Amino acid sequence: MSPSSAPALPSRRRFLSRLALGASAATVASMLPRPLGAFGGLHGGRKLGVALVGLGSYSTGQLGPALRETMHCGLAAVVTGSPEKGRQWTKDYGLREGAVYGYDDMHRLADDPEVDIVYVVTPPGLHAEHTIRAAKAGKHVICEKPMANTAAECDAMIAACREAGVKLSIGYRLHFHPTHRELMRLSRERDFGRLTKLEGGFGFRTGNRGWRLNKALGGGGPLMDVGIYVIQAACMAAGTEPVALTARELPKTRPELFSEVEETIEFDLEFPDGVRCSGRTSYNENYNRFRAESQGGGWIEIEPAYSYRGVRGRTHLGPLPASDVNQQALQMDAFARNILDGTESIVPGEMGQRDMRIIDTIYESARRGGVRLEVPA
């Protein structure tokens, strides 16, 4: 389609009117907490109990505090290898006696009626093991991203949850942020025409970050840790998954630090209908952005794009309304509602498996010198 035949772009007034009254606003409203009575007294009206597995910085800084704000779920237990951490969490959150478990006795969660959901927040190399243990204990599971070290591990996790009859969701918090939901709406409803040219990057400069630089525990470097957000945004904007890609790892400037994992990697994702995304991620560069352009000249840009707070979006028509929601609280409440309502998560295990297929293919292309590879279905 030539620019002259592209759909006319909406005026700013008409676009903002649609944003305020249309599908984006409706979907954000649908994620807001409902009174517990709306669930017909399931679980006696009590909040569903969450057990956090792994008490690192994400649990301490984000998930624990978010569970003070959630309406449909709350902290019921923790699983940790540190008795000292367990005692501190018991003090800080008023946990009941017996609510602290070790990794070796996760099976005892099966006998704990206060725990309905297990949130796996250990390093990626342990996600498959801990998710499968939680499923065997009969608990619904949220697994933090990336889902696992490989797509094959993801398959095993999905199978274990299916066999146990429990739900599996991935910690893709940005699917619950209004700005990213607007990106998905623009892809679906094409206010600006079809989004065709995509670009994103997420990187930061790191020192010794423990498991993140350990290939067995982290599965890889920045691509696994933060580059996955760029992949997610690209799939949101394209409305589907890539069919092929190329990638290259850049030379290491600090090889002594990045002896096991990549320092910086670039990738080019090819989606159906000619949509392409240029992505970059690094542990040695600072950026946090995503941009999508349409064939008609419209665009949406999000910067910072992937942060816990302060996500900001704008389009060629002007800035989008700022909305600093608690992403983690919305994410966990939404999963609790899936369980109570008998509905499916919008960020299921299959989505995590999709992203690992893409990541596996990016690494393989980079290993082979940037050869173009099809992404396995």
Side-chain angles (χ1 to χ4, degrees):
M1 178 181 291
S2 66
S4 61
S5 61
L9 297 179
S11 67
R12 174 173 170 77
R13 177 178 297 177
R14 183 156 58 92
F15 170 66
L16 291 179
S17 175
R18 290 196 63 178
L19 177 59
L21 301 175
S24 180
T27 38
V28 171
S30 74
M31 294 185 296
L32 296 178
R34 291 182 296 173
L36 286 172
F39 297 115
L42 290 176
H43 284 74
R46 73 169 177 85
K47 291 183 176 183
L48 298 186
V50 177
L52 295 178
V53 180
L55 302 181
S57 61
Y58 192 58
S59 286
T60 302
Q62 306 301 324
L63 296 179
L67 283 165
R68 296 186 187 276
E69 299 185 27
T70 45
M71 289 191 65
H72 305 314
C73 57
L75 185 65
V78 294
V79 180
T80 178
S82 168
E84 182 179 353
K85 283 186 178 181
R87 287 190 293 270
Q88 188 62 51
W89 276 70
T90 297
K91 177 182 177 181
D92 292 345
Y93 288 88
L95 294 177
R96 62 200 157 83
E97 184 177 353
V100 178
Y101 295 83
Y103 294 116
D104 292 339
D105 59 0
M106 277 186 65
H107 61 279
R108 293 198 299 111
L109 288 169
D111 301 319
D112 191 337
E114 297 299 313
V115 174
D116 305 286
I117 301 166
V118 169
Y119 197 143
V120 176
V121 207
T122 47
L126 301 174
H127 284 182
E129 174 188 347
H130 291 151
T131 294
I132 292 170
R133 284 191 190 182
K136 288 182 176 179
K139 306 301 180 181
H140 302 285
V141 185
I142 305 174
C143 179
E144 190 46 45
K145 64 82 196 163
M147 184 173 173
N149 274 9
T150 66
E153 288 182 338
C154 297
D155 291 337
M157 296 159 70
I158 292 169
C161 289
R162 185 177 296 123
E163 181 178 351
V166 299
K167 294 183 183 294
L168 173 61
S169 181
I170 309 303
Y172 287 139
R173 56 188 168 81
L174 290 173
H175 279 256
F176 302 90
H177 193 284
T179 301
H180 284 262
R181 294 199 66 82
E182 177 61 9
L183 174 66
M184 288 187 280
R185 189 191 71 80
L186 289 173
S187 171
R188 181 178 63 251
E189 299 186 13
R190 299 188 176 185
D191 283 9
F192 304 160
R194 186 166 60 90
L195 301 179
T196 57
K197 182 180 179 182
L198 316 175
E199 186 274 332
F202 195 7
F204 63 94
R205 184 175 172 84
T206 185
N208 187 347
R209 295 294 298 273
W211 63 263
R212 286 180 171 82
L213 304 185
N214 180 313
K215 186 172 177 59
L217 285 177
L223 179 63
M224 293 280 286
D225 185 20
V226 293
I228 192 170
Y229 287 107
V230 181
I231 295 169
Q232 276 270 307
C235 291
M236 290 180 192
T240 185
E241 63 184 78
V243 294
L245 60 82
T246 58
R248 71 184 186 102
E249 180 181 349
L250 276 66
K252 295 175 180 178
T253 63
R254 294 187 288 166
E256 73 286 352
L257 188 60
F258 301 103
S259 59
E260 296 187 26
V261 302
E262 76 278 5
E263 179 180 309
T264 302
I265 193 167
E266 295 179 334
F267 50 90
D268 186 81
L269 307 178
E270 302 175 23
F271 292 88
D273 300 327
V275 182
R276 299 181 77 99
C277 177
S278 174
R280 185 179 178 108
T281 184
S282 177
Y283 274 160
N284 198 44
E285 302 168 345
N286 291 301
Y287 33 76
N288 183 340
R289 63 179 186 268
F290 187 79
R291 180 181 173 91
E293 301 176 5
S294 77
Q295 85 275 28
W299 54 266
I300 178 173
E301 187 172 71
I302 310 174
E303 188 173 4
Y306 317 106
S307 305
Y308 300 145
R309 297 289 186 274
V311 171
R312 293 292 180 267
R314 60 185 181 274
T315 76
H316 62 286
L317 296 173
L320 296 174
S323 183
D324 279 334
V325 298
N326 188 316
Q327 302 162 22
Q328 291 84 0
L330 284 177
Q331 170 205 328
M332 290 186 284
D333 260 343
F335 188 56
R337 285 175 54 172
N338 291 143
I339 295 167
L340 293 165
D341 291 345
T343 55
E344 297 305 316
S345 171
I346 65 171
V347 285
E350 287 77 9
M351 182 180 288
Q353 195 266 8
R354 174 204 71 186
D355 292 347
M356 283 313 307
R357 282 189 282 111
I358 297 168
I359 286 174
D360 285 351
T361 309
I362 289 173
Y363 280 134
E364 181 63 20
S365 175
R367 278 193 294 268
R368 294 170 59 178
V371 63
R372 181 180 182 274
L373 297 175
E374 293 184 357
V375 179

